[in-house]
Amino acid sequence: MDFEKLKEFRNTHNPFCERLGIRVDEIGPGYARIVKHVTEEDLNPAGLAHGGLYFTMADTASGAACASHGYYGVTVNANYNYYRSGKPGDTLTAEATEGKAGRTLCVYDVRVTNQDGTLLGTGTFTYYMLDRKIDL
């Protein structure tokens, strides 16, 4: 698998993440790192980064790590724990690592941090592997 090509593919074929400014920074075997700069448009009514942003970043990171196997996968279960909030100007990073790579199910643990390395939340995401190869 050419991980640079996969990274580029993930960054150019995901309109939802493109609209939000979420970018794949790195993909490797069973691993992915996603980056996002928090803007005013990402805030909730309290003036903090919206919880949906963290969840989307965690899902995107684990989905990219799942794609490292060369096949599409779809989320079948997700659990996310919110610990702290980000604010405008922060740079958030979501890192997904593989806990289990199976023929039909793959599980990923995700950590979301800010630019200081402060842990903002964690999640566990389970993917069903489709019988559909990613053509780069």
Side-chain angles (χ1 to χ4, degrees):
M1 171 66 63
D2 184 332
F3 294 116
E4 280 302 311
K5 280 187 181 177
L6 180 59
K7 179 178 90 170
E8 182 61 27
F9 179 83
R10 299 285 296 185
N11 282 330
T12 58
H13 289 79
N14 191 337
F16 180 69
C17 285
E18 191 173 339
R19 181 166 45 98
L20 294 176
I22 295 172
R23 304 277 303 163
V24 177
D25 189 50
E26 182 181 349
I27 296 180
Y31 170 84
R33 183 175 59 233
I34 307 300
V35 177
K36 160 76 174 140
H37 300 287
V38 179
T39 68
E40 296 291 328
E41 293 177 333
D42 300 317
L43 305 182
N44 63 21
L48 302 169
H50 193 285
L53 178 62
Y54 308 115
F55 188 92
T56 297
M57 289 184 66
D59 190 35
T60 302
S62 55
C66 180
S68 73
H69 295 291
Y71 288 85
Y72 288 97
V74 292
T75 310
V76 294
N77 190 44
N79 179 322
Y80 188 83
N81 300 296
Y82 300 88
Y83 301 146
R84 292 181 180 80
S85 298
K87 56 190 180 308
D90 281 353
T91 299
L92 305 183
T93 301
E95 285 189 276
T97 56
E98 197 164 68
K100 176 195 185 293
R103 186 174 48 81
T104 56
L105 293 178
C106 294
V107 181
Y108 299 88
D109 294 311
V110 186
R111 294 172 51 87
V112 177
T113 58
N114 68 9
Q115 67 279 355
D116 300 321
T118 301
L119 183 63
L120 304 181
T122 60
T124 301
F125 288 73
T126 303
Y127 285 79
Y128 177 78
M129 300 302 291
L130 301 177
D131 188 21
R132 192 169 140 210
K133 198 165 179 72
I134 300 171
D135 293 321
L136 300 178

